[in-house]
Amino acid sequence: MVRKYALLAFAALPGCLGDKPASNACKKLKNEHPDKTYYGLDPRYINANTEYYSSSSWLGPACVFEPSNSTQMSDAVQALKAANSPFAIRGGGHMPIANAANINSSGVLLSSFGLNQLKLSDDHSTVNVGPGNRWSDIYKYLEPYGLTVVGGRLGHVGVPGYILGGGVSYLSNEYGWASANVASVTGVLADGKVVKATPENEYSDLFWALRGGSSSFALVTNFELKTIKAPTVMIGMASYGSDVAEQFIDAVHSFTTEGSKDAKAATIPMAEYIPALGKPAYSAILFYNGVDEKPAALKSFLESDMKVTSNTFSNRSMSKWCKELDPALSLLKGSKQRFYVLNIHASNKQAITIVHDTFMKVAKESLPLGVLVAALAFPAVTEKFITASTANGGDPQSLDVNGAPYIWVEESITSAGLVDDKDVDAFYEKANGQIVKNLQAAGIETAKFIYLNDANPSQDAFGTFPPENLERLKAIRAKYDPDRVFTDLMPGGWKLA
Ligand SMILES: Cc1cc2nc3c(=O)[nH]c(=O)nc-3n(C[C@H](O)[C@H](O)[C@H](O)COP(=O)(O)OP(=O)(O)OC[C@H]3O[C@@H](n4cnc5c(N)ncnc54)[C@H](O)[C@@H]3O)c2cc1C
C-alpha cells in the first residue's frame, strides 16, 4: 500500500518543489516538533496525503504537521503566519473538493489525526471528542455505556468538517443538526490563542459561527458532544433491484410527508445509475430509534409493492452498523468522488418524479466515460429537524420551517481516478439545468437552502443563508481573525465571501 503511493509523495519532497514560505514553515515546525512533522516518504505523510474520500485531494503538501494538543496547534498557526505560508487543515477528508482539506506543495497540511482523544464526562452526559476521530470511533467508544451521539450516518465520515457544516444524522429528525447537540468547542484562533466556546460564555458568538459557518473562524481541537441513551437502534439496508422507479418514488414521497412525522424514523432512499448496467438500482438505508422491527413510519419501504431483494434492517448498536457497512467504503480508495445538492419541497410528488426521471435520462445520455456510479439520495428534512436546531441560540443556516418537509437530494458521482472533476461538473450543470427547467415548466420552485457539506463548489451555499446571518458571520470573522488568516492563508473549503 505504501509503495503504491510513493511516487505521488515524491512530488512533495521538501526542497524539491515546496515554495519558500512553505518550506520555511516546515523547517521551523520540524525543528520545534521533529516527531510531529512529516515529509514525503514518511508513511505518516503518505497516509495524511492519501486518506481522502476522493483521490482529487491527493495534492502533495510541502510537509504534514500533526499536532497532539491545542498548544501544538497554536504553535503551528504562529509558525505558518510568521512564514506567510499557505496551509490547509484536514479531518476525515470526506469533503470531495480537491483543496477543501489538503494543499499542494505551496503549503503545509495540518492533520487532525493526532487529536484523537475520546473521554466521557463523569456524569456521562457529554463526551469530549478530538477532530481526528471518525464517527465509528465515537460509536465504538460509547457502545459499552449504552450511549450514542447525534453524528454521521456512515461511520467512516470525519467529525470536524461534518459538525462545522451542520451535520445531518439519523437522529436529526428528533434532535436537529449534529451541531445543535454540541456543548462546547475548543479551538485555536488566528492569533494563536486557545479558547473554549459555549452557547453561554464570552465566545458564544464564535460558538454560533462554528455551527454551520465552516472553517473561517478557528482550528478546532475538541468538540464536547451531548450523549443520548440508545444502546441499540433499528438500522439496515433494504434493496429493491431495478424497474421499480414508480413505487420507489411513491415510497420516498409517502415517507417524507407521513412516515417522517414519527421523529424517531429516518431513511436514505437511493437510486443509483450504473452505466455498466444501463439502468438504475434502488435501495434504502432505514433507521428507527427504538426496537420495533416493523415501525409503521417505515411501512412505505418495508412493506411496499417493491419486491425486497435483500434486507438487513435489524436491532444493533451504531458501532455494529458501522462495522457492517464501513469496509465497503475502503474499496473506493483511489476513485474520484463529486457531490451536488438540490433542495426540493417534498409535498409535491411530481417534484420528486421530475428530479429522478430527468437525472436518470441525462445520466444515460451524457455521463463522462469512466463514471462508475451516478447516484441520487432522497433524505427527508422535517419540521422537527428545523425546530430542534434552534436549541442553544440557533445556527447561521436558520432553516425556513415554512417550506418543510424538504428533501435535500444528494447527487453523488463515483468515477475512475482518471476522470476529470471538470467533466463531472459539466454533467451536473447539464442535468441540474434540465431538472430546474422541467420543474419550472411544471410550476414548481426549488427550495432555497443549499447544505454546504453536500454541495458542489459551483453552488453558492453561503448565498442561501439569511443575509443578516451572513453579515453576522462576517462580523464574527472580522472580530476573531481580522487578518483573514483562516480565509486567505488557508484558502480551501467553504469560505465567506
Ligand atoms: C461517504 C460520505 C458520507 C457522508 N455522510 C454524511 C452524513 O451522514 N451527514 C452529513 O451531514 N454529511 C455527510 N457527509 C458530508 C460530510 O459532512 C462532509 O464531507 C464533511 O466535510 C466531512 O467531514 P471531514 O472531517 O471528513 O471533512 P474534511 O474533508 O477533512 O474537511 C472538511 C472541511 O472542514 C475543515 N476542517 C477539517 N478539520 C478542521 C478542524 N480541525 N478545524 C477547522 N476546520 C477543519 C477542512 O479544512 C475542510 O474545509 C458525507 C460525506 C461522505 C463522503
Side-chain angles (χ1 to χ4, degrees), residues 53 89 91-95 100 153 157-158 160-162 164 167-168 218 220 451 453:
Y53 188 57
I89 186 164
H94 271 80
M95 190 172 272
R153 291 172 296 186
V157 173
Y162 169 97
L164 293 171
V168 180
V220 176
Y451 177 33
N453 269 342

Side-chain angles (χ1 to χ4, degrees), residues 81-196:
K81 268 171 65 184
N84 200 29
S85 169
F87 64 102
I89 186 164
R90 65 158 299 160
H94 271 80
M95 190 172 272
I97 299 175
N99 71 341
N102 201 359
I103 193 159
N104 62 18
S105 60
S106 69
V108 173
L109 172 62
L110 301 178
S111 165
S112 303
F113 287 167
L115 293 155
N116 52 9
Q117 69 274 13
L118 280 169
K119 187 153 187 357
L120 196 57
S121 63
D122 291 345
D123 68 358
H124 292 192
S125 64
T126 60
V127 58
N128 280 297
V129 168
N133 287 294
R134 297 178 187 276
W135 290 104
S136 50
D137 301 320
I138 304 170
Y139 297 141
K140 188 175 168 195
Y141 174 76
L142 292 175
E143 187 182 33
Y145 303 97
L147 298 171
T148 191
V149 286
V150 182
R153 291 172 296 186
L154 298 183
H156 200 254
V157 173
V159 171
Y162 169 97
I163 295 182
L164 293 171
V168 180
S169 167
Y170 296 119
L171 293 166
S172 286
N173 287 338
E174 212 174 346
Y175 296 97
W177 288 114
S179 62
N181 296 277
V182 174
S184 75
V185 183
T186 303
V188 176
L189 299 179
D191 62 3
K193 193 170 169 189
V194 179
V195 302
K196 180 173 172 176

Side-chain angles (χ1 to χ4, degrees), residues 331-351:
L331 301 175
L332 295 173
K333 182 143 185 174
S335 64
K336 285 202 178 139
Q337 310 288 336
R338 203 77 170 157
F339 286 177
Y340 193 101
V341 64
L342 193 72
N343 187 354
I344 56 173
H345 301 281
S347 50
N348 189 336
K349 193 171 98 182
Q350 198 189 355

